[in-house]
Amino acid sequence: MGLLDPINPLGEIAVDVLVCGRAASRRCPPGKALRTANRSPFTVVVDRADDVRFTRTVLAAHHPAAGRVVIHPTVGGGDRLLWHDVLHAVADGRPLRAPSCAARGNTSAQERAARAALKAAAMHRMTVLRAHRIGWGVWADLMALHHSTGTDVTVVHHAELPVGLAHLLRHCDHRILTAYAAVRALHPPAGTSGQSCVDRRHR
């Protein structure tokens, strides 16, 4: 993503996010600007202690056939490979239909391919682990994906949320979960049925 490229449906650019802090809060759009009516809000799990139970529970919920995918970002891969990781998770071991697009395309092309794959596979939930390692521009892209598609996005941040990122979340309708019980309720093990009680409370 270029420094002056829009990063979300609000037309903001990377520079806006870099300077978007408490001093600029009066210029920031309220959460309702990206309200997700009649569905779950963008969900952030804050795993301050990097509790291994959180990761194991989320990974055990990966079940593409049931419309749930879990993304464990490539270590050291940078933001560019996140969308490739999404494509692989949706494919769930099957050959990717357009590997050249995922491997060689720019970030925008990769994101479009990932969006198309999520829609074609009718994925209703996508959870991204290790979100403390991805850039704020990708956080904004994930917020936009949640808002503009039928896929509910959850990100797991394995550390305390920095002030700047907490402020960025004001740009969308979101909820923050910190309790392990809530994470477990949101991520039923693969092979089990149903929508979690956490989601039912937000319908």
Side-chain angles (χ1 to χ4, degrees):
M1 181 182 70
L3 185 60
L4 299 181
D5 293 336
I7 61 171
N8 61 32
L10 298 177
E12 292 180 316
I13 58 177
V15 170
D16 295 328
V17 173
L18 291 174
V19 301
C20 187
R22 284 172 290 182
S25 61
R26 283 180 294 181
R27 297 198 304 272
C28 294
K32 66 182 180 181
L34 288 179
R35 185 72 64 191
T36 49
N38 301 317
R39 46 179 296 217
S40 301
F42 182 79
T43 302
V44 180
V45 173
V46 180
D47 173 20
R48 295 182 176 89
D50 199 2
D51 188 338
V52 68
R53 296 178 303 162
F54 283 58
T55 300
R56 288 176 177 170
T57 297
V58 171
L59 287 172
H62 180 71
H63 192 11
R68 305 193 303 266
V69 290
V70 175
I71 315 300
H72 196 292
T74 301
V75 176
D79 294 344
R80 183 176 181 275
L81 291 182
L82 176 64
W83 303 113
H84 198 193
D85 293 333
V86 171
L87 288 168
H88 274 291
V90 172
D92 197 33
R94 299 185 302 275
L96 296 175
R97 177 169 294 182
S100 60
C101 175
R104 296 196 297 270
N106 58 29
T107 303
S108 295
Q110 289 184 344
E111 182 184 355
R112 287 194 298 271
R115 283 172 172 265
L118 289 167
K119 181 178 180 180
M123 293 297 167
H124 62 79
R125 175 166 299 285
M126 181 178 80
T127 301
V128 180
L129 288 163
R130 319 311 295 175
H132 60 295
R133 294 182 172 177
I134 62 177
W136 291 5
V138 175
W139 275 75
D141 290 338
L142 291 171
M143 293 176 194
L145 186 149
H146 175 91
H147 174 70
S148 61
T149 71
T151 302
D152 287 344
V153 178
T154 297
V155 293
V156 186
H157 190 279
H158 302 271
E160 187 71 56
L161 282 179
V163 173
L165 187 52
H167 186 83
L168 178 62
L169 287 169
R170 290 183 56 187
H171 291 244
C172 75
D173 187 18
H174 72 281
R175 62 182 170 184
I176 294 179
L177 305 179
T178 58
Y180 171 66
V183 175
R184 185 176 55 193
L186 190 63
H187 296 89
T192 60
S193 63
Q195 178 186 28
S196 75
C197 60
V198 175
D199 274 343
R200 286 197 294 271
R201 290 200 298 268
H202 287 84
R203 299 288 173 169

